[in-house]
Amino acid sequence: MKNLSLTHTLLTLILLLSSAGVWAQNSGSNLLPEANRDYGFDYTALEPVALNSFAEAAEWADVVAIAQIVNIDYLKTRELNSQGQAFLKVRVPYKGTKKNDLLIVSAKGFEDHVCYYPDREDEGQRYLVFLKKSQNDGEYHGFKPFCQIQVLLTDTGEYAIRYPLDTAIEVAPELVKEINFNDPHAVIDATEWTGLSREEHQEKYQSKLSEDSDMFQKYYYLTYTKGIMMYEIRKLMQLKPQPRISSKQM
């Protein structure tokens, strides 16, 4: 019954994806329609695991990829996410997946480590994700921060992980570079923040404060300035080459 349910799920999602262009034109949005919660998603709890290096994280995970948010569908309780799904599109596959695959990441609960993703803004944030398979094909579980390590585009069109990291993983200082990011998610509108909050962010993330103003008010922005290039992270993951299937084997 579970396999039949997931087959129905995946077929339905394929139909959603194939019709997304028409739906987006009619709605003025690039987001997919809301998910159907009767699909039988797997909400088995995934407890955090101590991962002390990118190599350990890659070995632990069933799927490793740079993936981009397509849509989220979460139930809320008192304004807090309580359960639901995020839909991510694989941009760069490293392990257990292929480019353009759709990853369904289910989550449930209120603990800080539960893997909820932010709502899609602009083209959708990109993350380096380390995920475990659920009992359903195409559906995964993760825990923060390893399910969503922020990836940003540089001014040369390359991927880099924002630094400092949200994980306890230590990296060689020489891998950390001053980077000019060309990514809308590298800039945070901190206008509504207190001055103390802006200072704390600058200290924690080594971000740069900039100001703007109009005749009504002053605006404050924080921009990330440091990162680690993804090709360096790729080396640290120490991934084994994945076997390729030729047409003769199919």
Side-chain angles (χ1 to χ4, degrees):
M1 293 296 292
K2 205 64 175 179
N3 289 336
L4 289 175
S5 175
L6 250 294
T7 299
H8 178 252
T9 299
L10 294 175
L11 287 173
T12 305
L13 286 171
I14 289 171
L15 290 173
L16 286 177
L17 284 170
S18 64
S19 62
V22 175
W23 184 89
Q25 290 177 1
N26 293 335
S27 66
S29 169
N30 290 323
L31 301 185
L32 296 180
E34 294 287 307
N36 184 337
R37 295 190 180 90
D38 294 330
Y39 286 163
F41 292 112
D42 178 9
Y43 290 110
T44 303
L46 180 64
E47 294 300 320
V49 178
L51 301 171
N52 300 310
S53 69
F54 284 105
E56 285 187 13
E59 178 68 23
W60 168 85
D62 295 318
V63 162
V64 182
I66 294 176
Q68 189 170 22
I69 293 177
V70 176
N71 198 12
I72 60 171
D73 181 23
Y74 295 133
L75 288 172
K76 290 183 178 290
T77 301
R78 297 180 181 177
E79 303 303 315
L80 296 175
N81 293 326
S82 58
Q83 75 172 49
Q85 284 69 44
F87 302 91
L88 312 177
K89 188 174 185 178
V90 174
R91 293 304 184 188
V92 182
Y94 294 114
K95 177 183 177 182
T97 188
K98 302 186 299 297
K99 185 175 181 180
N100 295 326
D101 275 357
L102 182 71
L103 307 177
I104 306 168
V105 183
S106 292
K108 183 177 182 178
F110 298 99
E111 294 86 352
D112 290 340
H113 66 264
V114 176
C115 193
Y116 295 117
Y117 291 84
D119 203 353
R120 173 173 170 165
E121 295 180 0
D122 299 310
E123 59 184 7
Q125 290 205 56
R126 301 173 185 87
Y127 297 99
L128 174 62
V129 300
F130 297 89
L131 303 171
K132 294 292 281 187
K133 293 179 180 178
S134 77
Q135 60 183 338
N136 298 329
D137 291 339
E139 183 183 4
Y140 302 90
H141 296 141
F143 63 88
K144 293 180 180 178
F146 287 94
C147 66
Q148 49 180 266
I149 298 175
Q150 189 175 30
V151 174
L152 300 170
L153 270 176
T154 71
D155 60 356
T156 58
E158 299 173 276
Y159 287 135
I161 285 181
R162 179 259 297 154
Y163 185 88
L165 306 174
D166 292 323
T167 76
I169 293 177
E170 295 184 2
V171 296
E174 59 268 22
L175 297 182
V176 181
K177 307 293 184 183
E178 294 279 348
I179 296 179
N180 292 320
F181 291 109
N182 184 22
D183 191 310
H185 301 290
V187 182
I188 300 170
D189 185 346
T191 302
E192 302 300 322
W193 295 16
T194 65
L196 179 60
S197 295
R198 290 192 287 267
E199 290 175 5
E200 289 176 346
H201 192 279
Q202 286 182 270
E203 182 177 352
K204 181 177 180 180
Y205 293 105
Q206 303 176 39
S207 52
K208 180 181 178 181
L209 179 67
S210 59
E211 301 179 13
D212 196 3
S213 63
D214 57 25
M215 62 185 300
F216 299 106
Q217 73 174 98
K218 184 177 287 188
Y219 303 92
Y220 297 92
Y221 302 95
L222 292 164
T223 302
Y224 295 119
T225 61
K226 292 190 176 182
I228 305 172
M229 300 303 296
M230 261 316 298
Y231 57 77
E232 299 289 4
I233 300 297
R234 172 67 178 81
K235 297 174 187 175
L236 295 178
M237 289 192 288
Q238 299 178 15
L239 288 166
K240 298 176 182 178
Q242 299 186 58
R244 296 186 179 182
I245 300 177
S246 69
S247 59
K248 295 181 180 180
Q249 295 174 290
M250 298 179 66

